[in-house]
Amino acid sequence: MAEQMIELNVTGMHCNNCALSIHKLLEKKGFQNIFVDFASEEVKFSTTDDSVLPEVIKNIEGLGFKVVDDLNLNNEHFYEKVENKFLFSLFFTIPLLLHMVLPWHFFHNPIVQLILCLPVFILGCMHFGKSAYNSIKGGVPNMDVLIFVGSSSAFIYSLIGTIQNLGPDYLFYETCATIITLVLLGNAFEKRSVSQTTSAVKDLVKIQQVTANRILNGETEIISARDVRPGDILQVNQGDKVPVDGDVLSGDAAIDESMLTGESIPVEKTKYSTVIGGTIVQHGNIRMIATKVGSNTVLSQIIELMKKAQSAKPPVQKLGDKVAAIFVPVVIGVALLTFGLSYWLFDVSFQKALMHAIAVLVISCPCAMGLATPTAVMVGLGRAAKNGILIKGGDTIEAIANTKYVVFDKTGTLTTGKFRIQEIKTEIDDIEKIRGLIFSIEERSNHPIAQSLVRELKSLPLKKVILKSVTEQKGLGMRAEDIEGNNYFLGSGLKSNKADNGADFNLFLYQNQQLLAQISIEDEIKPDAKELITQLKKMNIIPVLLSGDRKSKCIQVADAIGITEIHAEKLPEQKLSIIDLYKQKGKTVMIGDGINDAPALTQADVGVSMNDASQVAIQSARVILLNTDLHSVVKFLQISKHTLITIKQNLFWAFAYNIVAIPMAAIGLLNPMLGAFAMAFSDVVVIGNSLRLKGKKLR
């Protein structure tokens, strides 16, 4: 039976340890390719037997989480919202705290304090106790174990003091209530902040949720974009969002494609133009035919790429995950040791020793470690996506750090890919036949040279040739056969002695191995190429030109923009070995756009592809630049660098906080209430630092 990917939406996860407990459960059951993300509330795994799904859902819900069909339709009940739980607790906690500063004897009564604390404690048991029990059952004790043990210790100790009437020294009801209230406040902050870090994907999903005007038998009906099928005729008016990908049948419109490319200038669309779902019609109106719908649209693929990118953990995160997994048992051990040493060795009173131990439990926070990396990665990926840069993996961000070489393909990357024919030198008198052969062969290719030649030849007199088959050879050219059995080759890869091998001619057309024509073409350098190379050099990155084109053409482009390292006339397999050589000397990024670049894009530490590249190149690359503006390359390097800096800052603060806070709590410098506040604050600091990346000035 074929392996298939199962995707579940799971609510109730609020830290990395929650995700780890589900991960461990699925691992024990022997599933593969497991991905659990608490921030996006997604669980994925692959299996060959989907009949086990009901049992898996039952087991996940047995851990205290909830599996839902659609996160957008999952409305939490009033009493389930963490914000409402916090407000409920606060209502009872404020009077408990007031008795410490106000001389109202009524609040000093142990029974009154018990009555005020009890609702908060019960809520804490339901919220933290249930999660703590389920996490221990799952084999990965989470943060809630520490909160539950700490608050319960304070409550039980106070309850014994109340029953035995031992006096005010034995009453710590306000400690129990304040711990629960402050941690709920931290959870509320965390929930709001995490939802902001995942906003990039949520924004894209919202773009998909539109209606479409379908034309059926001359009548217009309004349907959801989800119900559009390939071949449907749709009317899109000014101000509407294009519902799905398709081709324009009639009409003219200026369409804002900034959500896809980051380019703010609207693009003019006329008959036969391609339009993309989610883009907005600013002026005019069009009638279109749907070509790609559902998960096949460009927008759906972008959303899927973003989700996959968030799931790929950078190596730096694995350290945080390992620490978080063993953290809770270690902290419980430290708390017990603190109590033992304080009470028996340093002769501290039982109450103080207990408060020290509770403070250790409450102040320890593996949540900050678990949040450190995913929040920064999500904000970084979101910022990149808004700049028209799609990054296929969170681990790509770390792979790009300390880049030493950026290797460029020439055609379509550093140059516009729009070619002009300078000259056609023919061996026969029939120029229209030669043009017709070139046109018929090249219209079957999506290489930038081929597309430019087809565009130019379309307007000239030519005799089209009916071809039986056309195949593309990576790095060489095109082979074709006509209905009469003649074989043709058009490309730069084969040259006979009859060919003029000077710098003037780059393409050669053969019929049955006899030279028919030599074609001289010129390509225009992108206006921002020189500035890009200058910026890379300022960043101490060495630019390299690696092309299958002729040496003279490569030198001409390299000299114009300032590249000194040139490798010309290279076939795909030769490009691979050159990338390997650079990888041995330092981190190497390859930027290309053609089929012949695909192996090199895969081989490089990070492959970057242009949006107008071949589908093979896009699939081979780990980064796709939706905007053909070369400034995107620098923007991508800057976003990656600053995301990694943010991750390291987050991990530093998370570790430093615990290294300083736990010993301070153990020696009695922090009481449990202050500890609960500091713990909530540590999460907010880490998430706040990640969110800073949204608007941070990149240098």
Side-chain angles (χ1 to χ4, degrees), residues 387-401:
N387 281 280
I389 303 158
L390 279 187
I391 301 172
K392 287 188 185 178
D395 51 348
T396 304
I397 283 169
E398 195 162 352
I400 206 77

Side-chain angles (χ1 to χ4, degrees), residues 115 141 176 241 247 249 262 366 565:
I115 290 166
C176 168
K241 275 183 185 165
D247 296 327
L249 294 176
E565 295 196 25

Side-chain angles (χ1 to χ4, degrees), residues 65 115 326 399 461 532 543 573:
F65 307 107
I115 290 166
I326 59 161
L532 167 66
E573 58 271 20

Side-chain angles (χ1 to χ4, degrees), residues 128-156:
F128 299 112
K130 187 181 170 191
S131 168
Y133 170 73
N134 289 324
S135 75
I136 292 167
K137 200 168 82 173
V140 184
N142 67 10
M143 181 64 208
D144 294 340
V145 174
L146 304 180
I147 304 305
F148 179 67
V149 171
S151 57
S152 298
S153 305
F155 183 80
I156 292 163

Side-chain angles (χ1 to χ4, degrees), residues 9 81 101-102 105 123 135 150 156 175 221 272 362 409 428 449 527 552 567 649 664:
N9 298 314
K81 290 182 177 175
V101 290
L102 294 173
H105 296 295
L123 175 70
S135 75
I156 292 163
T175 301
E221 61 171 340
Y272 305 128
V362 171
D409 171 49
I428 59 171
I449 294 178
S552 57
H567 303 272
Q649 286 170 345
M664 282 178 73

Side-chain angles (χ1 to χ4, degrees), residues 472-492:
E472 192 163 347
Q473 281 187 285
K474 283 185 185 180
L476 292 172
M478 306 286 288
R479 290 193 179 280
E481 187 185 348
D482 65 17
I483 52 172
E484 292 165 12
N486 293 308
N487 290 305
Y488 299 95
F489 175 82
L490 174 60
S492 58

